[in-house]
Amino acid sequence: MSDGHRKRALVTGGAGFIGSHLCERLLADGHDVICMDNLLTGDLANIEHLFGNERFRFFHQDVTNYIHVPGRLDFILHFASPASPRDYLELPIQTLKVGSLGTHKALGLAREKGARFLLASTSEVYGDPQVHPQHEEYWGHVNPVGPRGCYDEAKRFAEAMAMAYQRHHGVETRIVRIFNTYGPRMRLDDGRVLPAFMGQALRGEELTVFGDGSQTRSFCYVDDLVEGILRLLHSAEKYPVNVGNPNEMTIKQFGEAVLRITGAKSKFVFHPLPQDDPKVRKPDIGKARRVLGGWEPKIGLDEGLRRTAEYFRGRVQKPRG
Ligand code: UDP
């Protein structure tokens, strides 16, 4: 790609799980990438392999405060936020701040630079849904004062803020509603079901199933998600688009798949279901297929779990003895 066409992208939360995969992909597409992260839940280990690339820069900065980025920017991908239920339960104020103040700052920067802005939103905007599968026109069923309220409402506010900047200031905004995603670089201790089950399976421990395990989720491999996000960034779609894998299963079935792929013989142990834990979740990806040039997930669960297990195998400490 010649310099004239080379674009400059800022990824907030770029040292996180999805953010780091995005940085990698944007570099591979020939863009210059600035990764911004305060490393609260992100990790330099996720991006250290990119430091040798002269088109990559890292700014250790909190997007909740005033952000200054010298030079031109063509794209801002706003991915900074704690994103696992355990993280946002432990960091409720930071979660609210980055979704509200952080989104405001990032949008202000997009306006100033004339950059296109893409917001990482979430299936959590649908709450514990009463419409199944969830399509983009559904307004959701969210408890603002429950333990998940800090995340759900921050992301709902962020969507509203992006729409206001689009309508009022003419900023080009894109909104992706991300459903459960998994893959290498998830944090082993972030409490989400995949790292929890992987860690337990690889250590030969029991798998902690919350509730009776009949609640459902639909898991998307990170490469499929990143492809959908890039297509959305380059599309003309101004309204939210679900990106996820519609392959729905119960959490128990998911646990069985982790055992099958890792070869572990662990049993399940049942813990109480956390408050407001959604009973079902599955994206309707009809709109994504339509507006993202026929995009759909390509990597099946077994293949995705194999790649993820490979990553975790090197990181899980087996108990001694
Ligand atoms: N879950 C579980 N065991 C765990 C962690 C999570 O059974 O050790 C369940 C959790 O109650 C939820 C589902 O797995 O129903 C997905 O949880 P996760 O935290 O990954 O994301 P969520 O979809 O709830 O945001």
Side-chain angles (χ1 to χ4, degrees):
M1 197 177 282
S2 79
D3 268 14
H5 294 97
R6 202 150 114 190
K7 304 279 193 218
R8 204 157 176 254
L10 169 70
V11 181
T12 76
F17 161 48
I18 296 174
S20 64
H21 285 277
L22 271 176
C23 288
E24 231 170 31
R25 170 64 191 265
L26 288 161
L27 287 168
D29 287 353
H31 305 310
D32 290 355
V33 175
I34 298 170
C35 164
M36 186 176 283
D37 210 300
N38 67 354
L39 302 178
L40 187 63
T41 57
D43 189 342
L44 282 181
N46 291 337
I47 50 166
E48 63 190 357
H49 60 294
L50 304 177
F51 281 110
N53 189 326
E54 58 170 23
R55 290 186 287 110
F56 181 73
R57 311 253 328 250
F58 173 64
F59 289 6
H60 186 190
Q61 209 168 309
D62 186 339
V63 68
T64 301
N65 302 321
Y66 180 79
I67 21 180
H68 176 68
V69 175
R72 187 187 103 229
L73 276 180
D74 301 288
F75 304 125
I76 298 178
L77 297 96
H78 184 42
F79 278 70
S81 178
S84 84
R86 180 183 292 168
D87 285 345
Y88 52 73
L89 287 180
E90 283 173 8
L91 305 163
I93 317 280
Q94 288 96 328
T95 302
L96 278 157
K97 281 175 74 179
V98 75
S100 54
L101 307 180
T103 303
H104 184 218
K105 294 282 187 296
L107 278 162
L109 187 66
R111 184 183 177 209
E112 155 94 20
K113 303 279 187 187
R116 184 174 286 187
F117 177 91
L118 185 143
L119 172 69
S121 185
T122 166
S123 55
E124 283 286 324
V125 301
Y126 302 120
D128 188 5
Q130 294 171 316
V131 167
H132 192 68
Q134 293 76 56
H135 56 75
E136 291 85 349
E137 279 67 45
Y138 177 46
W139 292 352
H141 181 231
V142 169
N143 176 7
V145 296
R148 289 176 178 254
C150 61
Y151 186 62
D152 301 10
E153 296 296 358
K155 290 294 190 181
R156 289 167 70 97
F157 177 94
E159 288 196 6
M161 186 67 113
M163 293 308 297
Y165 265 68
Q166 180 188 123
R167 294 184 176 121
H168 197 70
H169 289 313
V171 173
E172 284 193 27
T173 61
R174 305 287 179 264
I175 299 174
V176 56
R177 290 188 178 150
I178 299 172
F179 283 66
N180 292 69
T181 300
Y182 69 100
R185 305 201 195 121
M186 292 184 95
R187 241 178 47 237
L188 200 49
D189 65 345
D190 82 357
R192 276 189 277 205
V193 69
L194 179 123
F197 282 0
M198 269 292 166
Q200 291 156 352
L202 295 174
R203 285 189 298 262
E205 297 168 2
E206 291 172 324
L207 266 49
T208 52
V209 173
F210 296 169
D212 62 3
S214 65
Q215 69 273 34
T216 70
R217 294 294 186 272
S218 312
F219 296 93
C220 184
Y221 188 69
V222 64
D223 290 1
D224 284 330
L225 178 87
V226 165
E227 174 65 28
I229 290 170
L230 264 293
R231 287 194 192 200
L232 176 61
L233 178 68
H234 298 302
S235 81
E237 181 56 43
K238 299 174 170 182
Y239 285 92
V241 181
N242 290 338
V243 177
N245 191 321
N247 178 21
E248 182 184 16
M249 67 198 75
T250 68
I251 290 303
K252 257 187 88 177
Q253 287 169 334
F254 185 62
E256 282 154 9
V258 171
L259 294 179
R260 188 174 67 244
I261 297 303
T262 55
K265 300 275 177 286
S266 308
K267 304 222 168 337
F268 294 130
V269 55
F270 295 88
H271 289 276
L273 192 67
Q275 190 192 329
D276 298 340
D277 197 289
K279 285 176 270 310
V280 289
R281 184 181 287 151
K282 170 182 174 166
D284 178 329
I285 60 165
K287 181 174 180 183
R289 278 201 183 97
R290 217 169 43 247
V291 303
L292 306 181
W295 171 88
E296 57 181 18
K298 297 258 181 300
I299 296 167
L301 185 67
D302 283 19
E303 174 60 18
L305 285 178
R306 262 193 293 278
R307 295 189 197 178
T308 310
E310 204 171 301
Y311 171 83
F312 279 111
R313 259 199 192 96
R315 284 161 178 84
V316 168
Q317 305 280 331
K318 289 218 168 169
R320 283 195 223 178

